[in-house]
Amino acid sequence: MTRIRAMTSDDLAAVSRLLGQSWRRTYAPIMGDETVARLSAERHAPEKLAAELEDEDKMSFVAEDADGSITGYAMAMMDTKGDVMLERLHVEPRAFGSGLAVDLLHAVLAAHAGIPSIALEVIEGNDRAIAFYRKHGFEVVERREASHGVGGHASLIMRHMLPMA
Ligand SMILES: CC(C)(COP(=O)(O)OP(=O)(O)OC[C@H]1O[C@@H](n2cnc3c(N)ncnc32)[C@H](O)[C@@H]1OP(=O)(O)O)[C@@H](O)C(=O)NCCC(=O)NCCS
């Protein structure tokens, strides 16, 4: 049995590891080992994730297996205008296709009840993620140069309009 819950400081090491491995697996074929290693070191260290837990505009969730292992992670951020971005969504490959990713997505949406839409940025070429987001109601609204220091790559902005309460 897997449960989705808010991330705590006890999860920092496990989430840092999960993110590092997921980035390597997903993005090294697209942007190369060096870029992935640099970006991951800059962003996924436990102390960076700890600072995010303290940020009230960011909400982080984990999926925890019965044995306590962390098999998934999501983080969403609200900007100053109240627009919510799904910044990260990663599940362990053994959980691909299991519905865990959509459970995490639903946890993010439930925590932001009443928002009109949710958006995200996905690197072009991450076809599995793009297919997942399309399947769950996201549409491409923009194609642009990837942000966050991912130089030389295009990304897609996808947005999911939500039914108004
Ligand atoms: C993105 C992610 C969370 C999606 O979760 P998932 O459990 O793999 O998603 P699902 O299996 O439900 O959906 C993926 C779909 O893509 C399809 N797919 C797989 N590989 C594909 C490819 N190369 N091209 C197109 N579609 C592909 C699958 O068949 C599936 O569609 P289906 O259900 O109609 O068969 C997960 O794959 C993941 O953690 N990936 C690594 C991290 C990542 O890229 N995160 C997104 C960052 S923006």
Side-chain angles (χ1 to χ4, degrees), residues 1-3 5 10-11 14 17 62-72 94:
M1 181 69 189
T2 304
R3 76 182 174 118
R5 59 167 174 80
D10 291 341
D11 305 313
R17 204 163 40 240
V62 292
E64 182 182 27
D65 267 1
D67 66 0
S69 58
I70 299 300
T71 53
R94 66 188 149 95

Side-chain angles (χ1 to χ4, degrees), residues 22 26-27 89-91 95-99 101 121-122 126-129 131-133 135-136:
S22 185
T26 309
Y27 296 124
L89 177 62
H90 295 260
V91 300
F96 281 12
S98 70
E121 176 172 354
V122 56
N126 189 356
D127 293 334
R128 182 174 194 111
F132 170 82
Y133 292 129
K135 196 168 63 168
H136 295 290

Side-chain angles (χ1 to χ4, degrees), residues 111-133:
H112 294 91
I115 57 169
S117 70
I118 184 165
L120 58 86
E121 176 172 354
V122 56
I123 302 288
E124 209 171 52
N126 189 356
D127 293 334
R128 182 174 194 111
I130 293 166
F132 170 82
Y133 292 129

